[in-house]
C-alpha cells in the first residue's frame, strides 16, 4: 500500500483541490505527474448503467430493485447480488457503484420507495451490510445513500427534514451505522435535502461528529449530483467530494479559501486522503487502463436475477389456486402482461440486455398456443412513447434561429440532456432543438398526443399546434422536478396515412440539477369494450392471470405518488375478470403497497415488484411451482393510504410546508405505527405465504446473566411439515413492557431465513446484543437500557408472534458507547 501522506506531500495545493470535485459527470481527474489514475463511478443500485445517459447507452444487467431485495429477507443472497454487481461495475470501466439506497420507507407514496429495502431499520441494515460486503470484497466501493432524511421526492432539493435525534439514531441512521461498523463501508452520499435546517452536504454534525467521530468511518463522503451548494461550508463540514464536474464551488474558489484562511490546509489533506484511500482500495490509484465499457451479458447473472426475482415474490393470498399445474387453459390479462416492468424510474434506470414480460415467460414455459391474451386497460402515466425515426437539429441559441450547428437522428422521442450536448457544439444550458419525423397510425381514430419537457416545448402534427408546453410552461412532477406535467392534445388521424410530427424545444433556467429533456407520446385510448373483452376471455379459461400494477413512470425518483390506488381502470378490470372467473389470480408489479378493493373476490395474489430483466421468467417459475414464492413483506400494506404513519391533515408532516417536513411520528413508523394505533393493515410486515407448511419448535432462551450483560441467545427448531421444499422467515421482536408509550410495542431485532425439504428440520440461533434492548437517550446523548421487563416474541410475521420469554433488567444501565 503506498504511503498516502507522502503522496499528498508531493501534491501542490491546486492538485490536492482538483481531487475534491469531479472532472466530468462520472469521474475524477487524473494527476499524471504523480501517476494517479482516474476514479470512475457509475449509477446503481440495481445494476451498473455506466457513463451513458439515463436512457440508452451500453446495455447492462438489470437486477431486482430495492423493495424486492428487501422482500427476500436474505442477506446472503444480497451479498451474492453485490458480488455480481461488482462484475457489472468492472465491465463499465468504473470503481465505485452508487448504491445501496438505504433510506427508510416512511411513506407508501414516496416515489423512490421501490429503491429502498424496508420500513424497518434492522432489516434494512442487515441487507445493506450484505450488499456492501459482496460488492467491496471484489474491490468495488459501495456508496450508501442518501445520508440522511431523504424519505420523499417532493421538493427534495430544498425541503428540510425535521427529525429529532432519537428518531435519527434509532431509525434513519441505523442502516448507515451498521453498514459502516459491520460491513466496512467505503463510501457515503449525502442527501439533497436539509436536515434540521442545514443541507446534508454541509452538515458537520452528521458527517464529522456522527459518521466519522461516533462510527469511525474512514471512507469518502460525496455529494449527490448538484447537491453541494457552498465552498467553505461543505469542506469544513466534512464533504470530501463535490459531484459532478466540472466544479461549481471548488477548484479556484477553494484554493482562494485556503489562502484566505477560511479552510485549513490540514482540512484539505484530510479530504484528499479519504479520496486516495478509496482509490487505493479499488485499484484506481495507480491504474492507467484506458476507459472502456462492455455489455457483458453473463449467463450466471441471468440465473441469479431469475433466482432472486422468484425469492422476492410475496404470495399474499392463495385459495387453493397456486401453484398451477401447467395443464390449465390460461388467460393472460392486463396492462403489465405483455410489457416487462423490470425497474423503477430515475437515476436507477438503465438500458437492460433484454426484458422478459410475463406473457413471454409463460409462452416459454407452456407454449404461446396455450395462452389467450387481452390488455383490458392501460396503466401508463404518460402517453406511450413515440417510436419513429426523428431528425434532430440543434441550434446554439434558445430561439431556433439561424442554421443548425449539429444534426443527428434518434429512434424515439425522448431525449435527456445532461452535460455534453450535441457533441459539445452547444452550451448545455442554452440551446434549442427541432425534432422532425413521421408517425404512421395503425387505426383511424382520435389520438392523444402527450408532451413533457424540462425546458420549453411545443408539438405540431401536420402543421397544427396540438400540445403547447411553451406559452404557459409550469414546473411539475417530472424529470426530477425540473419538468412540467404532461400536456395532452387530441388529433384525428387516418390509418396508414403518415402524419408529420414537429417538436420545438428550448432550454430554460434549471432549478438545481442542470438537466434538459423532452418526451413525446401518442396513443388511442382504450374504452369499456376492452374490459368486456378481457372478462369474456377469462370466462372461457380455467385460470385468469391479471398482471396489474404500476411502472417506472409512477415509481420514480423526483416524483411522489398522489395516491396508492392502482392507476387507470385496473381496479375495474380486476373486478370484471374476477366476476367472470372464480379462479382469478392477480400479479402485482409495483414499488410499494396499493389499495385493493377487489381483494375478497380473487383466488390468489402475488406481489412480484420490479424483479429485473428476468421478470416474466421469475414470475412464471413461481406461479407454475418451479420456484418457491420466497418473499415476505418488508413494508406493511395498509388497507388505505390514510392509515400510513406519515398521512396527516397537517401538510407539515407530509408532504411539507414552508420548506419543512416534520417527522412527528418519531420512531413509530411502519408496523410500529399500526401497533400503536390499533390499525389492522391489509397485509402485515413480515407476511408471506409458502407452498408448504412449517412448525416452529419450542424455543430455548439463554440469558443467565442478562441483568449484567444484556445479551441473550434464542434457539429453536423449524420443521417443514408439508410436501414441498420451501422457505420461511423466523422473526424475533423485542417488546419493552411499561415504557409509558415512549417505545414501540415491538421492534424487529433478529431474523433468519430457513429453506427446508419436506420433512426436514433445521436449527435457528438468534443472538441479541445490548443494543437490541437499548433506546437512544437524546438528553444524555447515548444509548441506554432502561430497567424493566422485556418480552421476547417469535413468529413468522409481525402480527403472528408469541412471547417465548420475559427478561428482566433490574437496574437502569449506564450510557453505552456510540
Amino acid at each position: 500500500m503506498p504511503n498516502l501522506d507522502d503522496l499528498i506531500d508531493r501534491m501542490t495545493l491546486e492538485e490536492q483541490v482538483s481531487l475534491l470535485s469531479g472532472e466530468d459527470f462520472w469521474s475524477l481527474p487524473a494527476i499524471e505527474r504523480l501517476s494517479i489514475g482516474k476514479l470512475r463511478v457509475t449509477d446503481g443500485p440495481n445494476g451498473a448503467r455506466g457513463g451513458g445517459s439515463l436512457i440508452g447507452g451500453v446495455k447492462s444487467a438489470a437486477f431486482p430493485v430495492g423493495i424486492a431485495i428487501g422482500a427476500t429477507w436474505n442477506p446472503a443472497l444480497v451479498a451474492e447480488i453485490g458480488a455480481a454487481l461488482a462484475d457489472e461495475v468492472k465491465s463499465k470501466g468504473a470503481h465505485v457503484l452508487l448504491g445501496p439506497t438505504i433510506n427508510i420507507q416512511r411513506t407508501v407514496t414516496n416515489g423512490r420507495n421501490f429503491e429502498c429495502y424496508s420500513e424497518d431499520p434492522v432489516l434494512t441494515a442487515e441487507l445493506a451490510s450484505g450488499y456492501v460486503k459482496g460488492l467491496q470484497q471484489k474491490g468495488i466501493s459501495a456508496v450508501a445513500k442518501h445520508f440522511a432524511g431523504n424519505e420523499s421526492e417532493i421538493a427534495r432539493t430544498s425541503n428540510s427534514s425535521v427529525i429529532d435525534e432519537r428518531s435519527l439514531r434509532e431509525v434513519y441512521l441505523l442502516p448507515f451505522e451498521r453498514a459502516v461498523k459491520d460491513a466496512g463501508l467505503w463510501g457515503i452520499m449525502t442527501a439533497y435535502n436539509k436536515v434540521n435546517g442545514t443541507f446534508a452536504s454541509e452538515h458537520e454534525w452528521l458527517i464529522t461528529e456522527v459518521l466519522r467521530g461516533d462510527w469511525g468511518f474512514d471512507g469518502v463522503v460525496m455529494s449527490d449530483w448538484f447537491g453541494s451548494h457552498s465552498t467553505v461550508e461543505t469542506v469544513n463540514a466534512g464533504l470530501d467530494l463535490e459531484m459532478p464536474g466540472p466544479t461549481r464551488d471548488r477548484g479556484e474558489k477553494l484554493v482562494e479559501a485556503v489562502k484566505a484562511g477560511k479552510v485549513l490546509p490540514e482540512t484539505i489533506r484530510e479530504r484528499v486522503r479519504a479520496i486516495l484511500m478509496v482509490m487505493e482500495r479499488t485499484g484506481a490509484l495507480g491504474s492507467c487502463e484506458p476507459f472502456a465499457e462492455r455489455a457483458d451479458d453473463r449467463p450466471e447473472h441471468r440465473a441469479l436475477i431469475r433466482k432472486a426475482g422468484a425469492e422476492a415474490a410475496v404470495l399474499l393470498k392463495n385459495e387453493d389456486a397456486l401453484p398451477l399445474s401447467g395443464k390449465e387453459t390460461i388467460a393472460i390479462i392486463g396492462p403489465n402482461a405483455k410489457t416487462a416492468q423490470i425497474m423503477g424510474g430515475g437515476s436507477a434506470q438503465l438500458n437492460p440486455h433484454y426484458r422478459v414480460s410475463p406473457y413471454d415467460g409463460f409462452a416459454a414455459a407452456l407454449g404461446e398456443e396455450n395462452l389467450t391474451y387481452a390488455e383490458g386497460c392501460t396503466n401508463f402515466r404518460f402517453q406511450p412513447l413515440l417510436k419513429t425515426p426523428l431528425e434532430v437539429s440543434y441550434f446554439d441559441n434558445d430561439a431556433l434561429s439561424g442554421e443548425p450547428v449539429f444534426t443527428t437522428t434518434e429512434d424515439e422521442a425522448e431525449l435527456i440532456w445532461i452535460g455534453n450536448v450535441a457533441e459539445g457544439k452547444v452550451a448545455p444550458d442554452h440551446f434549442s432543438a427541432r425534432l422532425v419525423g413521421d408517425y404512421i397510425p395503425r387505426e383511424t381514430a382520435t389520438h392523444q398526443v402527450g408532451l413533457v419537457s424540462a425546458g420549453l416545448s411545443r408539438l405540431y402534427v401536420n402543421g397544427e399546434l396540438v400540445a403547447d408546453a411553451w406559452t404557459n410552461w409550469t414546473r411539475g412532477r417530472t424529470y426530477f422536478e425540473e419538468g412540467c406535467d404532461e400536456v395532452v392534445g387530441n388529433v384525428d388521424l387516418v390509418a396508414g396515412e403518415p402524419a408529420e410530427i414537429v417538436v420545438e424545444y428550448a432550454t430554460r433556467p434549471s432549478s438545481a440539477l442542470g438537466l434538459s429533456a423532452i418526451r413525446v407520446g401518442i396513443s388511442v385510448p382504450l374504452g369499456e369494450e376492452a374490459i368486456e373483452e378481457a372478462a369474456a376471455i377469462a370466462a372461457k379459461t380455467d385460470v385468469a392471470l391479471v398482471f396489474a400494477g404500476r411502472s417506472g413512470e409512477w415509481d420514480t425518483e423526483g416524483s411522489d405518488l398522489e395516491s396508492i390506488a392502482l392507476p387507470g381502470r385496473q381496479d375495474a378490470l380486476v373486478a370484471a375478470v374476477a366476476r367472470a372467473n372464480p379462479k382469478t389470480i392477480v400479479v402485482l408489479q409495483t414499488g410499494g403497497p396499493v389499495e385493493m378493493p377487489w381483494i375478497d373476490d380473487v383466488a390468489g395474489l402475488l406481489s412480484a415488484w420490479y424483479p429485473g430483466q428476468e421478470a416474466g421468467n421469475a414470475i412464471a417459475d413461481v406461479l407454475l411451482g418451479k420456484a418457491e414464492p420466497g418473499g415476505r413483506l418488508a413494508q406493511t400494506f395498509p388497507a388505505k393510504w390514510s392509515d400510513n404513519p406519515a398521512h396527516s391533515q397537517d401538510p407539515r408532516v407530509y408532504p411539507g410546508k414552508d420548506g419543512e417536513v416534520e417527522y412527528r411520528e418519531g420512531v413509530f413508523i411502519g408496523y410500529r405505527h399500526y401497533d400503536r394505533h390499533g390499525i389492522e393493515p391489509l397485509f402485515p410486515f413480515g407476511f408471506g405465504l409458502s407452498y408448504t407448511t412449517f412448525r416452529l419448535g419450542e424455543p430455548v432462551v439463554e440469558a443467565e446473566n442478562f441483568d449484567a450483560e444484556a445479551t441473550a441467545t434464542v434457539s429453536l427448531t423449524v420443521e417443514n411439515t408439508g410436501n414441498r421444499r420451501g422457505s420461511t422467515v423466523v422473526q424475533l421482536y423485542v417488546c419493552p413492557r411499561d415504557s409509558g408509550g415512549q417505545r414501540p410495542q415491538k421492534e424487529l431485532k433478529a431474523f433468519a431465513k430457513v429453506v427446508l425439504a419436506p420433512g426436514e428440520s433445521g436449527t435457528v440461533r438468534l443472538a441479541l446484543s445490548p443494543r437490541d434492548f437499548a433506546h437512544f437517550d437524546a438528553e444524555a446523548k447515548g444509548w441506554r437500557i432502561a430497567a424493566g421487563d422485556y418480552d421476547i416474541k417469535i413468529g413468522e410475521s409481525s402480527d403472528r408472534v408469541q412471547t417465548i420469554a420475559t427478561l428482566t433488567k433490574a437496574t437502569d444501565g449506564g450510557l453505552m458507547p456510540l
Side-chain angles (χ1 to χ4, degrees):
M1 179 177 183
N3 188 307
L4 300 184
D5 290 319
D6 287 348
L7 189 57
I8 296 170
D9 288 340
R10 295 166 59 196
M11 295 182 192
T12 65
L13 174 60
E14 288 74 12
E15 286 172 332
Q16 292 175 9
V17 166
S18 74
L19 292 178
L20 303 185
S21 57
E23 179 180 53
D24 52 36
F25 223 75
W26 302 113
S27 69
L28 274 63
I31 301 178
E32 294 182 6
R33 182 179 71 84
L34 299 175
S35 300
I36 296 175
K38 280 181 177 287
L39 183 72
R40 295 189 178 91
V41 307
T42 179
D43 251 328
N46 52 284
R49 188 175 64 245
S53 176
L54 295 178
I55 53 177
V58 178
K59 289 183 179 292
S60 305
F63 285 75
V65 301
I67 196 170
I69 286 177
T72 69
W73 289 67
N74 190 342
L77 175 64
V78 180
E80 193 177 349
I81 290 172
L85 287 170
D87 295 333
E88 294 290 328
V89 173
K90 292 175 182 179
S91 74
K92 298 303 181 286
H95 313 94
V96 177
L97 182 69
L98 304 181
T101 303
I102 55 177
N103 297 102
I104 297 297
Q105 293 164 342
R106 178 182 180 237
T107 76
V108 291
T109 52
N110 179 16
R112 221 160 176 175
N113 195 83
F114 77 91
E115 209 173 309
C116 308
Y117 291 154
S118 175
E119 69 186 26
D120 183 83
V122 169
L123 177 56
T124 299
E126 287 290 325
L127 297 172
S129 292
Y131 184 106
V132 171
K133 289 176 182 176
L135 196 65
Q136 294 186 172
Q137 283 172 358
K138 286 194 170 182
I140 296 296
S141 176
V143 175
K145 57 188 186 182
H146 306 85
F147 191 66
N150 178 198
E151 279 71 45
S152 170
E153 294 299 287
I154 296 175
R156 61 175 179 160
T157 60
S158 58
N159 267 350
S160 176
S161 298
V162 181
I163 316 173
D164 65 276
E165 186 175 358
R166 179 190 167 203
S167 299
L168 275 168
R169 295 277 192 171
E170 292 188 20
V171 178
Y172 298 100
L173 297 184
L174 181 64
F176 293 96
E177 178 185 4
R178 293 274 293 273
V180 171
K181 292 182 176 179
D182 298 349
L185 179 67
W186 295 345
I188 288 261
M189 179 188 290
T190 57
Y192 282 122
N193 51 275
K194 300 174 184 175
V195 179
N196 297 325
T198 302
F199 276 115
S201 59
E202 52 194 54
H203 209 297
E204 185 174 1
W205 180 80
L206 274 174
I207 301 173
T208 297
E209 292 187 33
V210 175
L211 177 61
R212 289 201 169 101
D214 296 345
W215 303 344
F217 177 73
D218 67 352
V220 65
V221 181
M222 67 174 64
S223 74
D224 205 337
W225 268 229
F226 303 99
S228 172
H229 306 279
S230 62
T231 301
V232 174
E233 291 85 349
T234 58
V235 173
N236 285 339
L239 187 78
D240 301 310
L241 178 60
E242 172 205 32
M243 287 298 288
T247 183
R248 298 167 307 286
D249 298 317
R250 297 193 171 185
E252 188 58 35
K253 291 180 182 178
L254 183 50
V255 171
E256 292 303 316
V258 174
K259 291 179 179 178
K262 296 178 181 179
V263 177
L264 296 177
E266 291 77 10
T267 301
I268 298 296
R269 291 180 63 89
E270 290 175 10
R271 305 289 163 264
V272 173
R273 198 178 199 287
I275 299 287
L276 295 178
M277 178 74 77
V278 171
M279 293 183 73
E280 194 280 329
R281 287 167 169 168
T282 60
L285 186 58
S287 175
C288 55
E289 293 182 7
F291 174 64
E293 292 186 311
R294 304 187 310 275
D296 289 344
D297 185 5
R298 299 173 173 86
E300 64 272 23
H301 289 186
R302 289 184 172 213
L304 177 59
I305 292 167
R306 186 168 180 167
K307 169 188 168 184
E311 187 160 346
V314 184
L315 184 59
L316 294 172
K317 184 176 181 180
N318 188 15
E319 295 183 348
D320 298 321
L322 294 169
L324 302 175
S325 68
K327 299 178 181 178
E328 304 94 339
T329 56
I330 298 175
I332 305 288
I333 294 169
N336 284 356
K338 282 194 172 182
T339 301
Q341 304 294 3
I342 69 172
M343 57 189 164
S347 61
Q349 66 190 0
L350 48 77
N351 187 17
H353 293 300
Y354 55 87
R355 299 169 181 256
V356 181
S357 73
Y359 185 91
D360 294 335
F362 272 87
L366 303 178
E368 194 168 7
E369 67 277 7
N370 295 311
L371 308 176
T372 56
Y373 164 75
E375 184 176 12
C377 69
T378 61
N379 65 352
F380 52 71
R381 179 180 173 186
F382 309 115
Q383 295 296 317
L385 183 63
L386 171 64
K387 296 185 178 182
T388 190
L390 294 163
E391 183 180 82
V392 184
S393 301
Y394 290 88
F395 302 82
D396 61 356
N397 55 71
D398 60 6
L400 297 141
S401 63
E403 293 297 318
V405 296
F406 182 74
T407 300
T408 188
T409 301
E410 302 288 350
D411 294 328
E412 56 187 36
E414 183 173 29
L415 300 174
I416 299 175
W417 297 289
I418 307 174
N420 189 309
V421 178
E423 297 186 356
K425 292 182 173 60
V426 300
D429 59 350
H430 189 75
F431 71 92
S432 53
R434 181 178 287 114
L435 290 66
V436 180
D438 286 338
Y439 170 71
I440 301 177
R442 294 182 179 178
E443 55 186 301
T444 300
T446 298
H447 288 63
Q448 292 186 329
V449 183
L451 180 63
V452 181
S453 59
L456 309 178
S457 63
R458 53 197 171 210
L459 184 149
Y460 300 85
V461 180
N462 292 329
E464 176 188 353
L465 180 63
V466 173
D468 185 354
W470 190 300
T471 308
N472 296 301
W473 187 94
T474 303
R475 190 178 307 281
R477 300 183 305 119
T478 65
Y479 292 118
F480 314 103
E481 296 187 307
E482 296 282 355
C484 62
D485 290 332
E486 186 177 39
V487 176
V488 179
N490 295 321
V491 61
D492 294 327
L493 299 176
V494 178
E497 292 188 5
E500 184 190 48
I501 306 292
V502 176
V503 185
E504 295 180 338
Y505 173 86
T507 55
R508 63 178 309 281
S510 169
S511 65
L513 304 183
L515 175 145
S516 300
I518 192 165
R519 183 190 189 281
V520 178
I522 189 167
S523 75
V524 177
L526 290 181
E528 182 66 30
E529 67 279 0
I531 292 180
E532 294 172 356
E533 178 190 1
I537 287 175
K540 298 176 183 178
T541 56
D542 297 327
V543 178
L545 302 180
V546 182
F547 294 91
R550 298 194 293 255
S551 69
E553 293 179 351
W554 297 99
D555 292 305
T556 182
E557 179 181 354
S559 174
D560 277 12
L561 297 165
E562 295 182 303
S563 79
I564 58 169
L566 284 174
R569 303 200 63 207
Q570 292 182 95
D571 285 336
L573 174 64
V574 173
V577 172
R579 286 193 298 270
N581 189 326
K583 199 168 183 181
T584 293
I585 298 161
V586 176
V587 179
L588 283 175
Q589 286 197 262
T590 67
V594 297
E595 295 171 353
M596 305 179 197
W598 36 260
I599 186 60
D600 293 335
D601 302 321
V602 300
L605 172 64
L606 183 77
S607 185
W609 320 110
Y610 302 128
Q613 63 192 28
E614 286 281 337
N617 287 333
I619 291 169
D621 286 347
V622 172
L623 295 181
L624 293 169
K626 297 177 182 179
E628 163 82 356
R632 302 296 182 266
L633 289 183
Q635 183 176 25
T636 305
F637 273 41
K640 54 185 183 299
W641 157 217
S642 57
D643 289 343
N644 190 251
H647 189 278
S648 174
Q649 297 302 313
D650 188 343
R652 288 185 182 276
V653 174
Y654 181 84
K657 185 179 180 181
D658 298 330
E660 292 188 338
V661 181
E662 298 180 7
Y663 287 43
R664 286 187 202 158
E665 70 280 3
V667 298
F668 294 93
I669 64 158
Y671 61 90
R672 307 169 177 197
H673 163 83
Y674 299 95
D675 285 349
R676 186 186 201 191
H677 295 282
I679 300 172
E680 183 177 355
L682 185 61
F683 295 106
F685 175 78
F687 176 77
L689 302 173
S690 173
Y691 287 155
T692 188
T693 55
F694 295 90
R695 180 168 54 237
L696 305 188
E698 191 68 27
V700 175
V701 180
E702 302 172 43
E704 291 79 6
N705 203 19
F706 180 76
D707 187 46
E709 298 178 356
T711 60
T713 301
V714 178
S715 303
L716 70 156
T717 298
V718 181
E719 181 185 2
N720 182 342
T721 56
N723 57 10
R724 291 177 57 97
R725 182 179 180 83
S727 63
T728 190
V729 178
V730 180
Q731 303 164 35
L732 186 154
Y733 296 82
V734 171
C735 313
R737 287 192 192 174
D738 306 322
S739 63
Q742 298 305 303
R743 297 187 68 176
Q745 292 179 22
K746 61 178 175 285
E747 299 174 49
L748 180 74
K749 293 299 180 182
F751 62 90
K753 191 162 196 177
V754 186
V755 181
L756 297 170
E760 185 182 8
S761 296
T763 300
V764 170
R765 287 177 59 86
L766 301 171
L768 296 172
S769 70
R771 273 285 293 271
D772 293 324
F773 298 93
H775 70 281
F776 190 81
D777 186 331
E779 184 175 342
K781 302 294 184 184
W783 294 92
R784 186 189 301 279
I785 304 175
D789 295 331
Y790 295 84
D791 291 337
I792 308 299
K793 296 190 177 185
I794 290 279
E796 293 175 272
S797 65
S798 64
D799 70 331
R800 297 179 184 177
V801 292
Q802 60 179 355
T803 302
I804 62 168
T806 300
L807 305 179
T808 301
K809 190 83 168 64
T811 57
D812 195 328
L815 288 183
M816 299 165 55
L818 290 170

